[in-house]
């Protein structure tokens, strides 16, 4: 593998990645207060739903486990 092959395989993808990353950072904007609160509420609701699902799974699992183990 020559010098040109190494450049095409290793260096060129890194340059393209850096270029794409800089383009992404330039396009990103900081959310305003309204957008931030909407994202925070959605995240909180998701955490609550996942917590309730975990609680109910544990609630159902305890009696089934006691039946199977026979305590």
């Amino acid at each position: 593998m020559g010098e040109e092959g190494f450049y095409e395989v290793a260096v060129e993808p890194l340059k393209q990645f850096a270029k794409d990353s800089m383009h992404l950072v330039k396009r990103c904007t900081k959310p305003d207060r309204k957008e931030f609160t909407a994202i925070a509420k959605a995240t909180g609701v998701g955490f609550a739903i996942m917590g309730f699902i975990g609680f109910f799974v544990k609630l159902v699992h305890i009696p089934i486990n006691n039946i199977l183990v026979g305590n």
Side-chain angles (χ1 to χ4, degrees), residues 1-12:
M1 187 156 122
E3 184 70 30
E4 188 174 302
F6 175 76
Y7 181 79
E8 290 175 359
V9 172
V11 176
E12 191 60 37

Side-chain angles (χ1 to χ4, degrees), residues 13-71:
L14 289 174
K15 286 176 117 179
Q16 186 63 37
F17 176 75
K19 182 180 172 185
D20 292 342
S21 297
M22 290 304 296
H23 181 71
L24 176 68
V25 169
K26 287 178 184 176
R27 288 195 53 175
C28 291
T29 58
K30 187 174 179 181
D32 58 356
R33 183 177 279 292
K34 183 178 177 183
E35 185 180 9
F36 179 77
T37 54
I39 293 170
K41 286 178 186 176
T43 304
V45 169
F47 269 101
I49 290 171
M50 292 302 291
F52 282 121
I53 290 172
F55 174 74
F56 287 121
V57 166
K58 186 71 172 175
L59 201 64
V60 170
H61 178 70
I62 290 171
I64 292 174
N65 195 25
N66 287 337
I67 291 170
L68 293 175
V69 174
N71 281 341

